[in-house]
Amino acid sequence: MPHALPALIVIDVQRAFDEWEAAGKRRNNPDAVARIADLLRAFRTRGAPIFHIRHEGTKPNSSFLPQSSGYAGKDEAREQPGETVIVKRVNSAFIGTDLETRLRAAGIGTLVICGATTNHCVETTTRMAGNLGFDARLVRDATWTFDRIGPDGDVHAAEEIHAMTLSNLNGEFARIVTTRDVIGSFAAK
């Protein structure tokens, strides 16, 4: 029997991103972590399933090595006792993990996805969720990314990358929603 409540998938809300900002990397959506905290409160209040995805770096200079300060989850989004933490080593939370098995075993069909970064691990996980047949909802105000330099040397603003990623995913892989939409859907039940 399908699980009546959606699962919240919180991707890579780790201190490494604070370190990137401190080093001068510019991001969009400065309130994203506050929105993730709002989502966590709503899912906890409803007793809905929560899966925390943590990235573990594999390169020697990674900000996400388990022994580095960047590996830990940010305080505002840290797991509580009983909440599942799944460690991944690539962009998708479905590759090399038991996330899909856990979701299917629990009869969960709807995934509410948030975290970092929009155009890397969030996008890859969202694309796979859609391809695997899950009803994926990507929370636009609860994800963020950083400015990037393209192969042509052009600087691409985080806001443009975020908007393009949402446009690419919209409809085919996921429904793009807001934190307010998600919390409102709980109130309507």
Side-chain angles (χ1 to χ4, degrees):
M1 171 160 168
H3 202 286
L5 295 172
L8 182 64
I9 311 294
V10 182
I11 300 173
D12 300 354
V13 185
Q14 292 167 259
R15 292 183 179 168
F17 293 120
D18 296 337
E19 295 172 5
W20 290 16
E21 284 185 76
K25 290 193 179 209
R26 199 188 76 79
R27 65 175 266 192
N28 72 312
N29 208 356
D31 294 330
V33 176
R35 296 297 71 77
I36 292 167
D38 292 342
L39 289 166
L40 283 165
R41 271 191 299 281
F43 274 71
R44 288 170 177 151
T45 298
R46 289 297 298 239
I50 299 170
F51 295 83
H52 298 267
I53 310 300
R54 185 150 308 139
H55 189 74
E56 181 179 297
T58 57
K59 296 185 174 115
N61 61 347
S62 173
S63 307
F64 296 92
L65 294 173
Q67 65 272 23
S68 74
S69 58
Y71 183 74
K74 290 171 63 70
D75 291 344
E76 307 94 316
R78 185 163 293 132
E79 67 276 1
Q80 290 187 351
E83 293 176 355
T84 302
V85 176
I86 293 176
V87 175
K88 67 176 180 58
R89 292 175 184 85
V90 295
N91 301 106
S92 174
F94 289 103
I95 300 292
T97 73
D98 64 351
L99 177 60
E100 181 183 5
T101 302
R102 287 172 180 257
L103 294 169
R104 300 226 188 265
I108 296 167
T110 302
L111 308 182
V112 175
I113 301 169
C114 63
T117 60
T118 312
N119 57 311
H120 280 248
C121 298
V122 171
E123 179 177 17
T124 307
T125 299
T126 301
R127 283 178 182 269
M128 284 201 68
N131 283 339
L132 290 168
F134 291 100
D135 176 8
R137 291 140 193 230
L138 177 55
V139 189
R140 68 186 306 150
D141 57 343
T143 182
W144 74 94
T145 192
F146 293 87
D147 292 351
R148 294 188 63 85
I149 298 173
D152 51 9
D154 289 347
V155 175
H156 301 280
E159 293 80 4
E160 295 168 10
I161 295 166
H162 184 84
M164 184 55 68
T165 301
L166 297 177
S167 297
N168 289 339
L169 295 172
N170 186 39
E172 187 170 354
F173 298 99
R175 185 180 332 166
I176 308 303
V177 298
T178 65
T179 300
R180 182 177 298 201
D181 295 335
V182 173
I183 294 172
S185 71
F186 277 152
K189 289 187 179 181

